[in-house]
Amino acid sequence: MLLSLFATACFAQKAEKFVNELLSKMTLDEKIGQLNQYNGDWGATGKITPDGDKETQIKNGMVGSMLNVMGVDKTRKLQELALQSRLHIPLIFGQDVIHGFRTTFPIPLAETASWDLGLMEKSARIAATEAAAYGIHWTFAPMIDISRDPRWGRVMEGAGEDTYLGSEVAVARVKGFQGNGLGNIDAVMACGKHFAAYGAAVGGRDYNSVDMSYRQLNETYLPPFKAAVDAGLATMMNSFNDINGVPATGNSYILRDKLKGEWNFKGFVVSDWGSIGEMVPHGFAQDRKDAALKAMIAGSDMDMESRCYRDYLKQLVNEGKVPMALIDDAVKRILMTKYELGLFDDPFRFCNEAREKAQENNLGHRKFAREIGAKSIVLLKNNAVNGQNLLPLSSQHKSIALIGPFMKATVANHGFWSIAFPDDSARIVSQYDGIKHCTKNHSTILYAKGCNINDNDRSGFAEALETAKKADVVVVSLGEAHDMSGEAKSRSNIHLPGVQEELLKEICASGKPVVLLINAGRPLVFDWAADNVPAILYTWWLGTEAGNSIADVLFGDYNPSGKLPMSFPRTEGQIPIYYNHYNTGRPAKDDEDKNYVSAYIDLSNSPKYPFGYGLSYTSFDIANLRLSSSKMALNGGKIEASVEVKNSGNYDGEEVVQLYIRDLVGSVVRPVKELKGFKKIFLKKGETTTITFSLTSDDLKFYNNDVQFVNEAGEYDLFVGNSSNATLKGHFSLE
Ligand code: GLC
């Protein structure tokens, strides 16, 4: 341990010396060049500015980084140009490697539903290995935005509504991407995004304003970013939104006071696509020159695609409006990462054709994709039909009808952000292929599309109904299109689109038992289905092996264990709905209480499905909650909570046991529940185990009205269960 600390210190000293010497030789133009990032010719993830000859600018040292340049041939070519510059400073190549790369995995919200941190770390690890083999140094991930609003299309990229879960997942993903440290050939720089509170956009409308107390900002939205920084996050990307009227890109409270000050972040901040220039339409900057000034003063180091730094920083420095010290700090942060990546020693170390070829179709990675896909599926319902639970299906189902617009979908299983390999259909396992392969020895597969995703064409209904009537069981695959969630994909109506629900009703009316698969990047509203279909699996978008993962769960080769990372609303009018809400002065006493309480008179009070909810083919009994003490010391205190968990059903399986607390009285009102721990365990049928959580007084800190992170003595309830509806309760006092 001491040796590694010593080695790290020596490396840092060497890096510092090298970078300082290089900085001292750089002209102002060359320094500003390092702060400039352009999009490549591969594909666009924002509005393109068709201008200038980028290759000449690269050769002249006027570009520090490129994004969306993929493949060792293309990155090598541009790197060769960069090395022709006077000081031979290499480029860094960034890409949105959000959930897998050559092999795609479940969308991040789906992976979070696995509640398996080790799996999520491994997912990011594999993504980094594949991306690095394609010449990529830097991923614009993990997306760390907490969100309580499923109208916002980017919930698909994050870890859902909870700060504790979101923090744990952020750390797992940073560790996965950065592996054993930058400089390792399979490690890429992670990028925490979008800093900050982007998921709290008013109305769930992408890019919209965010307005909240600094207490709420620090309590709910910043902690996952802090956790990522503490885990060694290399870079941060700021968000498009304003926060209380100040755009994140020009917000010194979050960038200088919090990130680079209080949190002592040593990496660099990249703006999101064009967000520096967007401070003009925000009405925060007079013009692009003013935008460049405000962004640099606030702490945005690298300019993605706006060209404001390129066009105005030299003038601003010469006018004395931007201190050279700020420019030097920004450039140094960027050069330090290039040094850590080993690019000054060998600028082409990520340009290895053989390594790239080896990742073209890595069977081990596909096997993992199948596993994490199955573990991300959430079983929402599994009612009995003819005396036994409809799922898992088995060889007794001699004929199975597969119906719906997603059954044969391929690229859609990539989800919104897997833009790297758009024409990848041949490699992706559709639901139809996965199920057909799984049943090849015992069931006849029938198929009908039934309807399209989002139009009023009912011409396929008759064929679908006829097909259903011939089968013993019907599997219907419905949902929203893969590009109906993601960036700039906010939806005011999150019901099943088109005539999908009508088709479902007709098939259910046939009397055949129906299993519903729901494909989506967000919680959808599907009230009728939830109340009338006997079995429902939430299958999200699961990536390259989607069809196999779904088949494994359908036929019980994997017993589903997913738990919802977001509350599912009964209708859009219920949004925002989240489990860790405040009690109010007039809490409803039950789901239907409307008597002068905080409730809608036309809707039940609870979500359709709560945070942390998910069923299994087996059943788990959680009992005998015991606390090591009924008192915890205010400073440095700790208690342990243990429970017995029994697999009381007929299948081996995994359960996510969750620990929640409630601070009953505070100097500010406190949530009715707060997740403070979870453990995913495997139990064979009939097996019992005891699990123990430890809780410290630090775990109970919160932000008071003065935005101080404090403990307050008082009474706490503690809950353990398998969802946020946990009722097994204990009590202790913090004193
Ligand atoms: C996009 C996204 C951001 C992404 C960046 C580069 O606008 O907001 O998440 O990393 O541009 O593609």
Side-chain angles (χ1 to χ4, degrees):
M1 181 65 180
L2 277 177
L3 190 62
S4 69
L5 284 175
F6 178 70
T8 304
C10 291
F11 178 83
Q13 211 171 21
K14 233 177 108 192
E16 185 82 13
K17 183 171 180 298
F18 176 89
V19 166
N20 285 336
E21 280 172 8
L22 177 56
L23 197 62
S24 65
K25 299 171 191 165
M26 294 172 77
T27 66
L28 178 55
D29 284 329
E30 288 166 334
K31 291 176 181 177
I32 293 169
Q34 288 302 305
L35 311 183
N36 187 29
Q37 181 188 56
Y38 286 139
N39 189 60
D41 59 2
W42 165 81
T45 46
K47 288 177 186 152
I48 283 285
T49 307
D51 73 344
D53 169 6
K54 292 175 190 170
E55 294 197 356
T56 303
Q57 293 178 63
I58 292 172
K59 206 159 53 173
N60 295 335
M62 298 298 114
V63 184
S65 170
M66 295 291 288
L67 74 143
N68 292 333
V69 177
M70 199 184 59
V72 296
D73 53 345
K74 292 187 177 167
T75 52
R76 177 182 290 278
K77 175 171 174 280
L78 295 183
Q79 199 67 290
E80 284 166 350
L81 286 176
L83 295 181
Q84 293 176 37
S85 62
R86 186 176 75 88
L87 292 170
H88 322 298
I89 299 175
L91 293 166
I92 40 177
F93 294 98
Q95 179 92 25
D96 293 284
V97 181
I98 309 295
H99 51 103
F101 183 67
R102 191 71 194 92
T103 312
T104 56
F105 300 131
I107 58 173
L109 188 64
E111 280 193 356
T112 305
S114 74
W115 292 56
D116 187 324
L117 299 173
L119 224 50
M120 286 183 257
E121 181 173 342
K122 185 172 176 182
S123 167
R125 185 85 295 278
I126 290 173
T129 303
E130 294 188 347
Y134 277 77
I136 291 162
H137 305 129
W138 178 23
T139 177
F140 304 127
M143 189 272 221
I144 307 180
D145 302 304
I146 296 298
S147 184
R148 298 163 159 172
D149 192 330
R151 292 170 297 180
W152 188 53
R154 301 197 77 165
V155 293
M156 55 78 59
E157 286 176 73
E161 71 186 47
D162 182 70
T163 302
Y164 177 86
L165 180 58
S167 301
E168 294 290 292
V169 171
V171 169
R173 288 176 171 154
V174 169
K175 286 180 178 173
F177 287 126
Q178 298 185 172
N180 296 323
L182 302 185
N184 285 286
I185 199 59
D186 62 2
V188 297
M189 290 198 294
C191 182
K193 70 183 188 182
H194 304 78
F195 195 55
Y198 181 34
V202 170
R205 205 170 72 239
D206 208 354
Y207 316 125
N208 202 5
S209 294
V210 167
D211 210 281
M212 63 177 68
S213 66
Y214 283 97
R215 196 184 68 75
Q216 187 65 250
L217 179 66
N218 280 276
E219 175 101 348
T220 303
Y221 295 89
L222 294 185
F225 289 98
K226 171 75 165 53
V229 168
D230 291 347
L233 183 70
T235 67
M236 193 74 89
M237 180 185 291
N238 56 40
S239 54
F240 292 115
N241 55 287
D242 65 271
I243 304 168
N244 301 336
V246 179
T249 309
N251 195 310
S252 54
Y253 172 77
I254 59 165
L255 295 174
R256 292 227 183 268
D257 301 350
K258 276 289 168 185
L259 181 64
K260 295 179 177 180
E262 187 184 322
W263 300 356
N264 194 28
F265 177 65
K266 295 301 183 194
F268 70 86
V269 176
V270 62
S271 71
D272 200 344
W273 189 295
S275 70
I276 292 178
E278 289 178 8
M279 289 199 282
V280 178
H282 264 294
F284 185 70
Q286 290 291 339
D287 51 30
R288 293 176 66 248
K289 178 181 176 184
D290 190 32
L293 170 65
K294 285 177 169 150
M296 179 48 69
I297 297 292
S300 289
D301 300 306
M302 183 181 278
D303 174 4
M304 180 191 290
E305 269 292 322
S306 91
R307 297 154 170 79
C308 294
Y309 281 5
R310 179 196 71 180
D311 297 345
Y312 297 102
L313 272 186
K314 184 172 185 178
Q315 204 178 335
L316 289 163
V317 170
N318 293 338
E319 291 168 0
K321 292 177 181 167
V322 169
M324 181 62 89
L326 287 191
I327 301 285
D328 285 349
D329 176 65
V331 175
K332 187 171 174 181
R333 289 169 182 268
I334 293 164
L335 294 178
M336 286 294 280
T337 63
K338 294 185 177 184
Y339 188 93
E340 285 180 65
L341 286 165
L343 296 177
F344 286 107
D345 289 340
D346 176 4
F348 303 103
R349 59 196 300 262
F350 284 73
C351 301
N352 178 311
E353 283 74 3
R355 254 208 349 265
E356 179 181 83
K357 189 98 190 85
Q359 297 306 333
E360 173 53 31
N361 196 30
N362 185 312
L363 298 182
H365 293 175
R366 292 188 69 121
K367 182 168 179 281
F368 174 77
R370 179 169 183 162
E371 176 196 1
I372 193 169
K375 295 189 173 184
S376 301
I377 292 170
V378 183
L379 176 61
L380 295 179
K381 192 175 175 187
N382 189 22
N383 284 2
V385 173
N386 303 325
Q388 67 172 38
N389 287 349
L390 181 51
L391 290 175
L393 302 181
S394 70
S395 52
Q396 68 175 4
H397 297 100
K398 293 301 174 201
S399 63
I400 302 173
L402 304 182
I403 293 174
F406 295 101
M407 206 43 95
K408 291 196 170 181
T410 51
V411 174
N413 292 294
H414 271 334
F416 174 85
W417 265 115
S418 295
I419 49 183
F421 302 88
D423 50 3
D424 204 23
S425 52
R427 293 171 74 250
I428 297 167
V429 181
S430 70
Q431 295 168 12
Y432 177 86
D433 288 343
I435 295 167
K436 190 165 175 62
H437 177 78
C438 214
T439 57
K440 57 181 179 299
N441 300 325
H442 58 68
S443 303
T444 304
I445 295 297
L446 310 171
Y447 169 75
K449 184 179 178 185
C451 70
N452 296 318
I453 297 171
N454 191 15
D455 65 20
N456 296 320
D457 179 359
R458 296 173 179 76
S459 60
F461 280 28
E463 180 202 14
L465 199 51
E466 278 316 300
T467 304
K469 286 176 178 173
K470 294 173 190 166
D472 298 328
V473 64
V474 186
V475 181
V476 184
S477 183
L478 304 176
E480 62 174 4
H482 75 285
D483 59 1
M484 290 172 88
S485 61
E487 182 176 357
K489 305 294 184 184
S490 298
R491 293 177 64 205
S492 64
N493 172 340
I494 55 173
H495 283 67
L496 292 169
V499 295
Q500 295 183 46
E501 187 169 275
E502 286 181 46
L503 172 69
L504 181 63
K505 286 179 177 176
E506 293 220 3
I507 289 169
C508 289
S510 72
K512 294 291 181 181
V514 173
V515 178
L516 175 61
L517 309 180
I518 299 184
N519 311 275
R522 56 160 45 97
L524 294 181
V525 170
F526 45 96
D527 228 31
W528 186 88
D531 296 339
N532 294 280
V533 176
I536 302 175
L537 290 167
Y538 218 74
T539 55
W540 313 101
W541 293 112
L542 297 175
T544 304
E545 286 286 327
N548 287 331
S549 303
I550 290 168
D552 288 345
V553 168
L554 272 175
F555 294 96
D557 295 330
Y558 179 73
N559 178 1
S561 61
K563 302 283 182 180
L564 297 177
M566 284 185 82
S567 306
F568 277 47
R570 295 174 179 275
T571 182
E572 293 84 357
Q574 206 175 28
I575 296 169
I577 185 163
Y578 45 97
Y579 85 94
N580 48 354
H581 58 82
Y582 300 136
N583 205 31
T584 78
R586 294 193 174 189
K589 64 178 184 302
D590 58 38
D591 220 11
E592 301 311 322
D593 182 4
K594 309 298 175 190
N595 186 20
Y596 294 102
V597 293
S598 179
Y600 298 105
I601 60 170
D602 57 354
L603 192 68
S604 296
N605 301 326
S606 60
K608 193 66 184 176
Y609 297 104
F611 172 82
Y613 170 86
L615 300 177
S616 168
Y617 293 152
T618 190
S619 53
F620 293 94
D621 302 335
I622 301 173
N624 297 333
L625 170 59
R626 286 190 303 282
L627 301 188
S628 58
S629 168
S630 60
K631 293 181 175 46
M632 184 195 290
L634 188 63
N635 298 309
K638 173 181 169 183
I639 62 169
E640 293 191 335
S642 59
V643 287
E644 281 177 15
V645 185
K646 179 177 182 182
N647 179 341
S648 51
N650 301 317
Y651 292 88
D652 298 349
E654 292 175 287
E655 178 61 297
V656 180
V657 185
Q658 302 155 44
L659 171 77
Y660 296 88
I661 57 113
R662 179 180 182 180
D663 181 356
L664 296 175
V665 178
S667 60
V668 290
V669 294
R670 312 290 298 121
V672 294
K673 272 201 180 98
E674 294 175 78
L675 180 70
K676 290 294 180 183
F678 61 89
K679 291 181 190 285
K680 185 160 192 176
I681 59 171
F682 171 83
L683 289 177
K684 287 188 166 306
K685 61 184 178 185
E687 190 181 1
T688 299
T689 190
T690 299
I691 57 171
T692 301
F693 295 96
S694 71
L695 200 59
T696 69
S697 53
D698 281 348
D699 295 329
L700 305 179
K701 286 187 172 180
F702 64 96
Y703 283 89
N704 66 14
N705 225 13
D706 300 323
V707 199
Q708 294 159 337
F709 194 46
V710 297
N711 272 123
E712 290 177 359
E715 300 301 314
Y716 283 78
D717 284 341
L718 178 147
F719 304 86
V720 179
N722 60 7
S723 87
S724 55
N725 282 349
T727 52
L728 183 59
K729 184 163 100 172
H731 185 87
F732 67 93
S733 57
L734 185 63
E735 50 189 64

